[in-house]
Amino acid sequence: MTDRATEIASMLAKLAALLAEEDKPEPQAEVRSLPTRVLLTVEEAAEQLGIGRTTTYALVRSGELESVRIGRLRRIPKEAIDQYAARLVQDQPTQQRAA
């Protein structure tokens, strides 16, 4: 083989090695789950309760659903949603709960 042919063969071998490395799956990055949020937006609280945003704001305004202010932001503690739902269930007459 000539020097040129040897050089081409060497480059092809390097290319084949690089392509073989490329086919190997890359190690998976560690997936970290986000911590459970303690405070939700009004929209997120509405979604959790299965009601509309306007109704949720009305509940906040009336004090039926506890909320906190952080600067200009309004947030609803996750526990407040659970407490509100429990009160709704508790206040329902027994006959309606069975239906």
Side-chain angles (χ1 to χ4, degrees):
M1 280 174 115
T2 64
D3 286 337
R4 184 84 174 131
T6 305
E7 186 180 338
I8 291 172
S10 175
M11 281 195 235
L12 286 173
K14 288 178 185 176
L15 179 60
L18 287 172
L19 289 173
E21 284 180 20
E22 214 173 86
D23 289 342
K24 293 179 186 174
E26 292 185 23
Q28 294 293 325
E30 181 182 336
V31 178
R32 294 181 2 181
S33 61
L34 294 175
T36 304
R37 291 183 39 204
V38 178
L39 299 174
L40 304 176
T41 66
V42 173
E43 289 79 8
E44 290 168 336
E47 188 175 319
Q48 291 274 319
L49 289 167
I51 60 177
R53 186 176 65 103
T54 305
T55 303
T56 307
Y57 273 109
L59 291 171
V60 167
R61 226 174 288 116
S62 71
E64 290 183 69
L65 184 58
E66 178 189 350
S67 68
V68 294
R69 288 198 62 116
I70 302 173
R72 296 179 61 185
L73 304 174
R74 174 73 56 191
R75 293 295 182 256
I76 299 174
K78 182 87 171 96
E79 304 83 41
I81 295 169
D82 297 335
Q83 291 167 358
Y84 175 73
R87 279 195 314 273
L88 284 178
V89 171
Q90 195 173 36
D91 292 347
Q92 293 292 313
T94 308
Q95 291 175 342
Q96 282 186 344
R97 277 191 257 170

